[in-house]
Amino acid sequence: DIVLTQSPASLAVSLGQRATISCRASQSVSTSSYSYMHWYQQKPGQPPKLLIKYASNLESGVPARFSGSGSGTDFTLNIHPVEEEDTATYYCQHSWEIPWTFGGGTKLEIK
Amino acid sequence: EVKLLESGGGLVQPGGSLKLSCAASGFDFSRYWMSWVRQAPGKGLEWIGEINPDSSTINYTPSLKDKFIISRDNAKNTLYLQMSKVRSEDTALYYCARGAAYYRYLFAYWGQGTLVTVSA
């Protein structure tokens, strides 16, 4: 199974600043054309919400302050400027091979 | 509007069995891959497995393959998860999820989950 390691496990960012979340895969999940890495946001008491697909493509309706980047084994989710409503736990997920797996999550707090 | 509504959770004794359901509406259920994902209290997400539209292909996370059986009834627009030989570590919120069109691994729609508690 591909293991996804997220860092940090938690972070606190001041309102209006940048939040950066990393996800490292145990093997490459990219081809020359696509990276099979996706990002979800989960707010307390809610199911996850798909934010970004294929490393950098925002899902419809997701604010442009969210962005994703990376390829191979290293991926990043950026949120800038952070807003109060971004308080949530963020998960990466790969779709390179079965089984699909998720990272352990990064809990974001807005100061 | 796509809706997924899980049910069937509750308290089950260690070693017992339970069958969860996920009622789908607002889309042509018979055309989509469906998945089950679970989340232990305060923990992260774990993909359990998926089933294709005509039930001819079912994939599982290998470590859970002997514990769960995924099935569906397209006539009833319902997805199922049969759990067996449950243990305390199976205590979790169980979600059903639908993939995006053409991309079964992009979980664009989720239910609210049904809680399974394994305890004597």
Side-chain angles (χ1 to χ4, degrees):
Chain A
D1 300 3
I2 295 175
V3 176
L4 302 181
T5 303
Q6 287 186 232
S7 61
S10 64
L11 77 161
V13 177
S14 297
L15 190 66
Q17 298 304 302
R18 177 182 298 274
T20 299
I21 298 170
S22 297
C23 176
R24 175 165 289 178
S26 58
Q27 68 179 72
S28 176
V29 296
S30 298
T31 66
S32 57
S33 302
Y34 293 98
S35 290
Y36 292 83
M37 186 65 75
H38 321 292
W39 291 93
Y40 295 80
Q41 175 193 63
Q42 186 178 32
K43 296 183 178 181
Q46 296 184 20
K49 173 187 174 183
L50 180 62
L51 285 182
I52 291 174
K53 55 194 178 188
Y54 302 105
S56 60
N57 297 282
L58 259 61
E59 188 71 349
S60 176
V62 174
R65 63 179 184 275
F66 291 89
S67 64
S69 63
S71 65
T73 61
D74 293 306
F75 298 87
T76 302
L77 172 67
N78 277 286
I79 312 170
H80 181 260
V82 297
E83 298 188 3
E84 288 281 357
E85 65 182 26
D86 300 333
T87 296
T89 300
Y90 294 84
Y91 296 94
C92 55
Q93 175 234 332
H94 81 85
S95 58
W96 182 258
E97 63 184 16
I98 295 287
W100 321 132
T101 58
F102 293 86
T106 295
K107 188 173 184 178
L108 174 63
E109 173 197 337
I110 309 303
K111 293 188 289 187
Chain B
E1 180 189 4
V2 173
K3 289 187 177 180
L4 300 170
L5 181 63
E6 302 92 340
S7 61
L11 181 64
V12 58
Q13 292 191 337
S17 300
L18 199 63
K19 189 172 186 177
L20 308 182
S21 300
C22 170
S25 61
F27 65 101
D28 188 349
F29 180 74
S30 66
R31 295 181 60 184
Y32 286 88
W33 287 74
M34 298 294 296
S35 280
W36 285 98
V37 178
R38 70 179 181 178
Q39 186 170 35
K43 302 297 184 183
L45 302 167
E46 181 177 30
W47 181 76
I48 297 171
E50 64 181 3
I51 185 169
N52 76 333
D54 67 4
S55 303
S56 60
T57 300
I58 306 173
N59 297 312
Y60 298 93
T61 286
S63 61
L64 301 178
K65 187 174 184 179
D66 294 331
K67 181 183 293 291
F68 296 111
I69 297 175
I70 297 173
S71 62
R72 65 192 293 164
D73 185 337
N74 287 342
K76 294 183 178 179
N77 290 339
T78 303
L79 174 72
Y80 302 102
L81 181 68
Q82 177 71 53
M83 307 172 61
S84 62
K85 302 176 184 176
V86 296
R87 301 169 61 173
S88 58
E89 52 262 43
D90 296 317
T91 292
L93 189 62
Y94 285 75
Y95 292 105
C96 64
R98 197 205 87 177
Y102 306 113
Y103 305 104
R104 71 188 203 263
Y105 45 74
L106 292 177
F107 305 123
Y109 299 96
W110 299 69
Q112 291 298 313
T114 188
L115 182 63
V116 174
T117 302
V118 181
S119 175

